[in-house]
Amino acid sequence: MLKTPIARGVALATLGATLAIPTMAQAAFIEDTKASLELRNFYYNRDYRQDGASQSKQDEWAQGFLLRIESGFTEGPVGFGVDAIGLLGVKLDSSPDRTGTGILPVGDSGAPDDYSQLGLTAKAKVSKSVLKVGTLQLKNPAVATSDSRLLPATMRGAQLVSNEIDGLTLDLAYIDQINDRNSTNDQDMVINTSGKGITGTTESDEFVYLGGTYKITKDLSASYYYSNLEDLYKQHSLNLVHVLPISEGQSLKTDLRYQRSTDDGNTNVDNKAFGAMVTYSLSGHSFGLGYQKMSGDTGFAYVGGNIDPYLVNFVQIGDFAQEDEKSWQARYDFNFASIGIPGLTFMTRYITGDNFERAGVSEGKEWERDTDIGYTFQEGALKNLNVKWRNATFRSNGAGNDMDENRLIVSYTIPLM
């Protein structure tokens, strides 16, 4: 049943666009259509190491199928199109005492054998502006749907992106539901409150944002976004990114972020978040240093479920966003293409945070170490097959779970159109 105006609007817009397409000029609509099928095999193991852990480990293996179709636009002053995403996850190994990895749903008797989702999006284009209504995958300083498990998270609503002014991208949206990455149904939204001192939360069925990015020079860009999760929080986000070319194959990138979050009626949200990441790149090497500081009466607020916060120290396990927490990051990347091995990449980073209170710990401390190794086959029968191993270790002084984590992801994308 379509209970909300936006849900009815999504259905009507998608149906209307679909019915209208055959009667319009179809050349560009068909010629510009892209379709692909991604096969994603995902093994996830998280081993809890602290004494008295309620679950000894999370351990599951699954196969995902991700069908993506993006049509072109019909010809004329207003172009119409339809996008679709079909998602299917199939259990390969799990048991009731090992669930909770996020790659499979959790049922009363463990993970189901499979789960699926179909998302449709109607779209219209005028000049350099595109309106989408339906299933959305978003990525900006206000909200970013996660794609770090078997299947991606999605949201339902309407989004308008405009590039009418050279160098300026305007972006606004209205969202009323979220579909988590291991779920088959749309749900209301909540705040991610894990250990961040945020109280009084309720669900919300309205999230809006308005923002934009302006390319001031070819090396400097600035972004501002305002967002509001109705009744829960309001947030202003600022971002400056500068890339300084030093010489051939050598550059210095500076990424500065600031967010101010306040309550919107039903919570006690009060947070200021500052983050800075400086990365020096030389040939295939990249060396990064990051700093993140929380201040205010609570930790950082963002949409709960499977949304990635726009924080420099949001990493594989932790976000280092507790009340008053200060955290530092050191990161190193290497692209082996620089020494004649294209397709092979390596990343490692270390993050440490302190100065926060949680669960009776007066001086909370936590740290995380991550390592990624990935390889994409460049030729032969396995060309474009990608294999990635992600390893993480997280420890704290009683302020959270201690865990060792491994993820093995094998993916292959088949172009269909």
Side-chain angles (χ1 to χ4, degrees):
M1 179 178 293
L2 302 177
K3 298 181 179 180
T4 65
I6 188 81
R8 291 191 292 270
V10 168
L12 290 173
T14 305
L15 177 61
T18 304
L19 294 176
I21 285 166
T23 67
M24 300 177 179
Q26 300 182 35
F29 175 85
I30 297 173
E31 291 173 3
D32 294 338
T33 294
K34 298 180 292 183
S36 65
L37 175 64
E38 180 185 350
L39 310 178
R40 184 183 296 181
N41 190 278
F42 207 118
Y43 172 71
Y44 181 109
N45 175 279
R46 174 179 285 184
D47 187 11
Y48 290 97
R49 308 298 295 176
Q50 78 273 17
D51 294 335
S54 59
Q55 185 176 359
S56 63
K57 66 177 179 178
Q58 296 170 338
D59 188 275
E60 293 182 305
W61 181 31
Q63 175 66 48
F65 301 86
L66 297 80
L67 175 65
R68 297 183 176 94
I69 302 174
E70 297 181 11
S71 79
F73 291 92
T74 59
E75 297 174 357
V78 181
F80 295 93
V82 177
D83 294 344
I85 182 169
L87 305 173
L88 171 64
V90 179
K91 178 177 69 176
L92 298 178
D93 181 58
S94 179
S95 68
D97 62 332
R98 294 186 280 117
T99 59
T101 64
I103 68 173
L104 291 168
V106 180
D108 294 337
S109 57
D113 291 337
D114 59 71
Y115 66 109
S116 61
Q117 177 194 355
L118 174 63
L120 297 174
T121 308
K123 58 185 181 180
K125 182 178 182 180
V126 178
S127 184
K128 297 180 181 179
S129 299
V130 176
L131 172 67
K132 294 184 177 181
V133 181
T135 299
L136 303 172
Q137 290 181 267
L138 303 168
K139 187 174 184 179
N140 56 57
V143 61
T145 49
S146 174
D147 192 15
S148 62
R149 296 293 196 277
L150 185 71
L151 304 178
T154 61
M155 303 186 94
R156 189 183 71 186
Q159 179 195 26
L160 175 64
V161 177
S162 177
N163 292 284
E164 300 296 336
I165 301 174
D166 288 345
L168 176 64
T169 298
L170 295 176
D171 184 5
L172 62 146
Y174 173 92
I175 306 297
D176 76 333
Q177 298 276 273
I178 182 173
N179 192 313
D180 292 341
R181 58 199 175 197
N182 62 336
S183 175
T184 60
N185 60 294
D186 293 328
Q187 305 169 35
D188 287 345
M189 294 161 284
V190 297
I191 297 181
N192 188 316
T193 60
S194 177
K196 298 176 178 60
I198 300 173
T199 61
T201 58
T202 58
E203 295 182 344
S204 176
D205 62 358
E206 181 176 312
F207 176 74
V208 296
Y209 71 78
L210 168 65
T213 300
Y214 182 61
K215 197 170 183 62
I216 301 170
T217 68
K218 65 182 182 68
D219 301 322
L220 176 64
S221 64
S223 299
Y224 166 76
Y225 276 77
Y226 169 78
S227 58
N228 174 213
L229 184 57
E230 188 180 38
D231 296 329
L232 302 183
Y233 74 82
K234 295 174 287 189
Q235 188 174 92
H236 299 271
S237 300
L238 295 168
N239 184 209
L240 282 175
V241 178
H242 181 257
V243 179
L244 175 66
I246 299 174
S247 63
E248 183 68 26
Q250 189 176 179
S251 65
L252 183 68
K253 179 181 178 181
T254 304
D255 185 345
L256 302 177
R257 306 179 187 186
Y258 174 80
Q259 291 110 318
R260 176 67 173 117
S261 306
T262 57
D263 70 273
D264 191 36
N266 290 336
T267 66
N268 66 331
V269 171
D270 176 34
N271 177 263
K272 298 174 185 177
F274 171 76
M277 190 77 184
V278 178
T279 305
Y280 171 67
S281 298
L282 175 63
S283 186
H285 304 272
S286 293
F287 306 88
L289 290 175
Y291 173 73
Q292 182 173 290
K293 183 180 186 300
M294 300 289 140
S295 59
D297 294 334
T298 70
F300 187 69
Y302 56 100
V303 178
N306 303 134
I307 299 299
D308 295 341
Y310 198 66
L311 300 171
V312 296
N313 283 350
F314 169 71
V315 287
Q316 183 166 325
I317 295 176
D319 58 18
F320 294 85
Q322 309 291 338
E323 178 185 345
D324 293 327
E325 183 169 12
K326 299 176 183 178
S327 56
W328 297 260
Q329 177 183 166
R331 173 171 173 158
Y332 171 70
D333 294 75
F334 184 62
N335 188 334
F336 286 79
S338 62
I339 58 172
I341 312 176
L344 181 61
T345 58
F346 171 82
M347 184 281 295
T348 188
R349 62 191 167 204
Y350 176 79
I351 309 94
T352 179
D354 59 18
N355 195 52
F356 63 92
E357 295 184 14
R358 182 180 175 189
V361 178
S362 60
E363 179 60 29
K365 296 181 180 181
E366 56 188 4
W367 62 265
E368 180 173 338
R369 182 179 60 244
D370 301 332
T371 301
D372 284 12
I373 300 175
Y375 181 67
T376 300
F377 289 83
Q378 303 294 298
E379 56 187 19
L382 298 179
K383 184 178 180 180
N384 296 325
L385 178 72
N386 177 266
V387 180
K388 177 171 283 190
W389 171 53
R390 308 191 71 188
N391 172 266
T393 299
F394 183 90
R395 294 290 186 272
S396 72
N397 64 339
N401 292 317
D402 292 344
M403 58 193 82
D404 297 334
E405 185 177 284
N406 286 283
R407 308 178 189 181
L408 181 62
I409 308 125
V410 181
S411 63
Y412 181 70
T413 300
I414 305 170
L416 303 178
M417 295 182 67

